[in-house]
Amino acid sequence: QKVSSIVCSFAQAGHDAPQLFEMVQEVLVERAMSGFNPANTASVAWAFAARGHDTEEVLSVVEERVWQQGLVGFGEVHLVLLCWALAASKYRGPSDSQGRDTLSMVEIELRKRRLKDMPDSHLATLTWAFDRLGHPGG
């Protein structure tokens, strides 16, 4: 959880810190983000994408985590951060046996929630993310 706070702080401050992000990436991949909750998972994805660091390995681990834990524990903001990170990185991970990818999972989860209560800025970000990745759910 501290790792998430550190990389988010650097990303928010606009610091590239390539050595820090490389070290964090190694740890995240090695430990498969063990112990990360949904907020930390989405925040790490956002931080790597926001600073333009090589995100493929990190997003792959993020997706594995999402597929293992599901999206029920993700708050609205964390779903938005996750989608933004995937789209900003133009990352399209593997699909399951039914052809669903992570964005499809998010779409299914969002349909269960009340979209009309979601702030316009979140809806705009989600629409942009789905469109950028050519996802029909946008």
Side-chain angles (χ1 to χ4, degrees), residues 12 17 29 37 42 65 69 72 91 93 95 101 106:
Q12 287 172 336
V29 171
N37 65 29
R65 198 93 182 124
Q69 295 180 329
V72 174
Y91 180 82
S95 300
D101 60 5
V106 170

Side-chain angles (χ1 to χ4, degrees), residues 53-65:
H53 288 281
D54 181 22
T55 58
E56 190 163 337
E57 274 190 298
V58 170
L59 291 179
S60 178
V61 173
V62 165
E63 277 198 322
E64 286 176 32
R65 198 93 182 124

Side-chain angles (χ1 to χ4, degrees), residues 76 80 110 114-130 138:
E76 181 181 293
V80 173
L110 288 171
R114 297 176 56 97
L115 290 179
K116 70 178 187 174
D117 295 335
M118 190 177 283
D120 290 343
S121 60
H122 290 181
L123 290 172
T125 300
L126 290 168
T127 301
W128 171 82
F130 280 76

Side-chain angles (χ1 to χ4, degrees), residues 7-135:
V7 294
C8 281
S9 295
F10 273 78
Q12 287 172 336
H15 294 295
D16 285 332
Q19 291 175 329
L20 170 70
F21 278 85
E22 287 172 20
M23 181 182 70
V24 168
Q25 179 175 333
E26 287 177 23
V27 171
L28 293 175
V29 171
E30 179 182 307
R31 297 183 183 170
M33 297 182 83
S34 178
F36 275 59
N37 65 29
N40 298 135
T41 301
S43 296
V44 164
W46 174 84
F48 272 80
R51 295 310 315 147
H53 288 281
D54 181 22
T55 58
E56 190 163 337
E57 274 190 298
V58 170
L59 291 179
S60 178
V61 173
V62 165
E63 277 198 322
E64 286 176 32
R65 198 93 182 124
V66 166
W67 283 91
Q68 290 171 356
Q69 295 180 329
L71 292 169
V72 174
F74 279 74
E76 181 181 293
V77 165
H78 305 115
L79 289 173
V80 173
L81 287 177
L82 177 62
C83 288
W84 186 91
L86 294 171
S89 302
K90 294 184 179 177
Y91 180 82
R92 290 299 298 254
S95 300
D96 68 5
S97 61
Q98 297 175 328
R100 294 178 303 203
D101 60 5
T102 301
L103 279 183
S104 296
M105 286 180 61
V106 170
E107 180 184 3
I108 291 166
E109 183 62 29
L110 288 171
R111 289 183 189 279
K112 295 176 186 175
R113 300 179 187 198
R114 297 176 56 97
L115 290 179
K116 70 178 187 174
D117 295 335
M118 190 177 283
D120 290 343
S121 60
H122 290 181
L123 290 172
T125 300
L126 290 168
T127 301
W128 171 82
F130 280 76
D131 183 61
R132 181 169 170 99
L133 292 174
H135 195 278

